[in-house]
Amino acid sequence: MGQPSHARKDQDWWRSAVIYQVYVRSFADGDGDGTGDLPGVRARLPYLARLGVDALWFNPWYLSPMRDGGYDVADYRAIDPAFGTLAEAEKLIAEATGLGIRTIIDIVPNHVSDQHPWFRAALAGGPERALFHFRPGRGRHGELPPNDWQSQFGGPAWTRVGDGDWYLHLFAPEQPDLNWAEPAVRREHEDILRFWFERGVAGVRIDSAALLAKDPRLPDFVEGRDPHPYVDRDELHAVYRAWRAIADEYGAVFVGEVWLPDTERFARYLRPDELHTAFNFSFMTCPWDAASLRTSIDETLAEHAPVGAPATWVLCNHDVTRTVTRYGRADTGFDFATKAFGTPTDLALGTRRARAAALLSLALPGAVYVYQGEELGLPEADIPVDRIQDPMYLRSGGTDPGRDGCRVPLPWAAEAPFAGFGSREEPWLPQPVGWTSYAVDRQQNAPDSMLTLYREAIRLRPAFGSAPLTWLPAPDGVLAFARAEGVTCVVNLADAPVDLPAHTRLLLGSGPLDTTGRLPKDTAVWLLA
Ligand code: GLC
């Protein structure tokens, strides 16, 4: 009431935004030392504005020993010196805002770095121990971990310290879990949120959002027992309600990293007084198959509808196999458990599908995430094993390739050293042979490039408006839906070309139609009726 409609619309930007994920370490190197940084991002803001994105989500940029790519935070109020300074972050936020681009930061509440002052004080025997989960071990001499929980990166979720006690870490040993039953932990994070909202941050991505609360008895894990000792516990909702009240003071929004197979439990996080949005991992891990994708889309829309939250559409991020690679394999879904070295890949096929998937996801109702390099069609890189830094590889005993293959420094200029990433010396991860062919300067004026497709799709996407999705009749293996009056998206995942529905104009295609005007397989179009 009383607000002009454009102001209302502006407030609702996150409901239909295109959000670009910046993995700072690999985006652009401003000072030439081999690691991406904030000056690098600032210099490339015009590129992001031209791409047309509404917001940037930055992976953690805080002071960190980088034992898990910055998800091991030593100080939530300081920028890591490898990335820059707090003053530079403030400038970046302001400059982006000036270009109409909002900033979303990544908060890691489940754990801190083992170098965080609280954990150091805890190790020194201070009262800070209560802020973590320290327990005596089992066995005659306490030589066995307190329970049987496994780390998400492999091995026991417990590490023993000098005085014989063990502490819990659901991820790497350098990432001790906080005890969210402690009011001081809650107060600290509420204060961190305010710290960043005061600096103009428009949103927060919540890392491992469903893992914070633990059963205080820390019981052994029993398959199927409800509630789970540390996933999706009811106590969490009070935490996020308090966070929401703070975000509302600043008009800021949340996106939760919530991996939950149960759609009803997932939707609880999106109730009107909790998180605004959460990542859609069902869509991100879905195989390239019409029936599966349609089910994933329908379930996504159905689970969001009762709570009034918009869906999000994600094809990849810094944790999973890059889209063009995944879609070029026999198994086009994604599962951490089945990742392996040496999986045969048809990149031409994967790229064709990824182009179609881009048009599919950008036509769906809700917000869309684009992970840096996705708009360049970068494949997953094979990193020489002696250069891999990801704890997921290191802690798997060398069987899991880890996540570095999707974190390789971006190619900006084909002729420049290190493909124009900006480094004077070898970047922190090596760029594979052929990386230059994906360089921005090769793609920006090429009509058929992935970059041109993304730019065009983001430019034309408002044509779909905020209208809901209606499925149109289509042959098996074909996804066809209408959004706003007369704007439709058709994706052919069948084996043969198909006729297009009647239309007056082809707005955009992920590839050419065949000589008889039919839509080839693994191709998508946007049509005007
Ligand atoms: C999230 C992040 C991942 C990180 C983990 C631990 O899953 O996306 O990169 O390793 O949390 O913080």
Side-chain angles (χ1 to χ4, degrees):
M1 275 297 289
Q3 266 183 348
S5 65
H6 65 85
R8 263 205 311 275
K9 191 166 174 299
D10 199 45
Q11 269 175 18
D12 279 350
W13 65 274
W14 49 277
R15 291 189 163 268
S16 58
V18 177
I19 299 163
Y20 185 93
Q21 180 188 350
V22 181
Y23 196 78
V24 180
R25 209 176 180 189
S26 297
F27 184 73
D29 183 359
D31 64 3
D33 68 350
T35 296
D37 47 38
L38 301 189
V41 181
R42 285 173 58 204
R44 300 291 179 180
L45 283 175
Y47 167 82
L48 296 167
R50 169 124 195 255
L51 184 56
V53 300
D54 301 296
L56 305 176
W57 151 35
F58 291 93
N59 286 104
W61 56 15
Y62 322 101
L63 183 71
S64 166
M66 300 286 160
R67 303 307 288 265
D68 181 22
Y71 284 94
D72 46 326
V73 181
D75 182 347
Y76 291 81
R77 297 177 184 80
I79 300 290
D80 193 89
F83 297 153
T85 60
L86 184 57
E88 267 155 355
E90 289 170 346
K91 275 192 204 141
L92 171 54
I93 295 166
E95 286 166 5
T97 309
L99 292 168
I101 300 175
R102 293 174 160 90
T103 296
I104 297 173
I105 56 161
D106 204 324
I107 289 286
V108 188
N110 181 67
H111 43 267
V112 297
S113 161
D114 61 354
Q115 300 306 310
H116 188 284
W118 277 2
F119 192 71
R120 295 172 69 114
L123 283 190
E128 289 80 359
R129 254 190 199 216
L131 307 177
F132 299 90
H133 299 283
F134 277 87
R135 290 287 188 285
R138 296 198 281 203
R140 272 188 67 172
H141 308 288
E143 72 281 12
L144 299 172
N147 69 25
D148 65 356
W149 298 1
Q150 294 294 297
S151 147
Q152 311 257 335
F153 294 156
W158 294 91
T159 291
R160 199 171 193 191
V161 300
D163 65 11
D165 271 4
W166 299 70
Y167 68 88
L168 175 70
H169 52 85
L170 291 182
F171 295 90
E174 297 85 359
Q175 294 167 296
D177 279 46
L178 287 169
N179 178 2
W180 274 84
E182 280 293 322
V185 171
R186 294 179 58 155
R187 273 200 308 274
E188 168 67 356
H189 273 82
E190 291 173 7
D191 195 61
I192 292 166
L193 290 177
R194 287 185 191 282
F195 178 89
W196 288 104
F197 291 151
E198 289 289 341
R199 281 165 178 75
V201 156
V204 167
R205 180 240 187 212
I206 308 170
D207 187 66
S208 305
L211 303 183
L212 279 47
K214 315 292 187 300
D215 181 332
R217 295 172 300 121
L218 301 177
D220 277 344
F221 173 73
V222 179
E223 188 66 49
R225 181 179 290 167
D226 195 24
H228 192 287
Y230 59 84
V231 178
D232 182 34
R233 293 181 60 82
D234 286 342
E235 307 89 283
L236 267 175
H237 296 285
V239 171
Y240 293 135
R241 287 202 178 95
W243 285 26
R244 176 62 178 257
I246 296 169
D248 283 348
E249 286 177 39
Y250 295 88
V253 299
F254 292 116
V255 53
E257 189 203 16
V258 181
W259 293 82
L260 287 182
D262 181 324
T263 55
E264 189 273 328
R265 298 287 309 184
F266 175 87
R268 289 184 191 206
Y269 291 83
L270 303 176
R271 288 176 290 197
D273 60 347
E274 297 192 39
L275 309 184
H276 302 72
T277 54
F279 291 117
N280 186 346
F281 294 125
S282 129
F283 186 74
M284 184 184 76
T285 54
C286 186
W288 184 246
D289 166 76
S292 315
L293 282 166
R294 181 165 169 162
T295 303
S296 171
I297 293 166
D298 280 340
E299 284 180 0
T300 297
L301 296 174
E303 75 192 342
H304 284 77
V307 284
T312 66
W313 307 101
V314 187
L315 291 173
C316 67
N317 64 28
H318 66 294
D319 289 329
V320 304
T321 309
R322 281 212 178 258
T323 320
V324 301
T325 301
R326 171 163 71 93
Y327 286 152
R329 291 181 166 172
D331 177 2
T332 51
F334 176 81
D335 189 344
F336 283 109
T338 56
K339 269 190 90 173
F341 283 101
T343 312
T345 308
D346 178 345
L347 275 186
L349 175 66
T351 303
R352 199 159 64 237
R353 291 173 170 170
R355 292 174 65 90
L359 292 201
L360 168 64
S361 55
L362 285 159
L364 292 167
V368 178
Y369 283 82
V370 178
Y371 173 46
Q372 71 179 39
E374 193 179 342
E375 82 283 17
L376 302 177
L378 292 184
E380 185 83 1
D382 286 326
I383 310 291
V385 290
D386 60 340
R387 295 288 301 276
I388 299 182
Q389 301 200 16
D390 183 17
M392 227 171 194
Y393 164 76
L394 302 171
R395 287 182 60 84
S396 74
T399 55
D400 183 324
R403 303 163 295 180
D404 286 349
C406 67
R407 300 172 174 181
V408 175
L410 292 193
W412 291 94
E415 304 299 330
F418 306 114
F421 179 58
S423 306
R424 284 185 309 273
E425 51 194 78
E426 174 76 13
W428 74 280
L429 278 180
Q431 296 162 312
V433 175
W435 213 231
T436 52
S437 64
Y438 296 98
V440 170
D441 67 349
R442 286 272 167 90
Q443 298 203 34
Q444 61 191 355
N445 298 316
D448 298 333
S449 72
M450 188 70 98
L451 179 57
T452 302
L453 181 72
Y454 265 91
R455 279 181 181 162
E456 279 300 286
I458 293 171
R459 187 176 69 80
L460 293 168
R461 174 175 145 82
F464 289 100
S466 54
L469 168 155
T470 319
W471 292 107
L472 302 174
D476 268 0
V478 176
L479 298 173
F481 57 89
R483 291 279 315 280
E485 201 61 51
V487 191
T488 63
C489 173
V490 186
V491 193
N492 183 5
L493 298 95
D495 279 334
V498 292
D499 290 324
L500 288 178
H503 60 279
T504 56
R505 233 179 94 203
L506 195 153
L507 282 176
L508 189 61
S510 67
L513 301 181
D514 72 8
T515 47
T516 60
R518 288 178 307 173
L519 183 68
K521 65 182 285 195
D522 296 323
T523 308
V525 283
W526 289 357
L527 303 172
L528 219 50

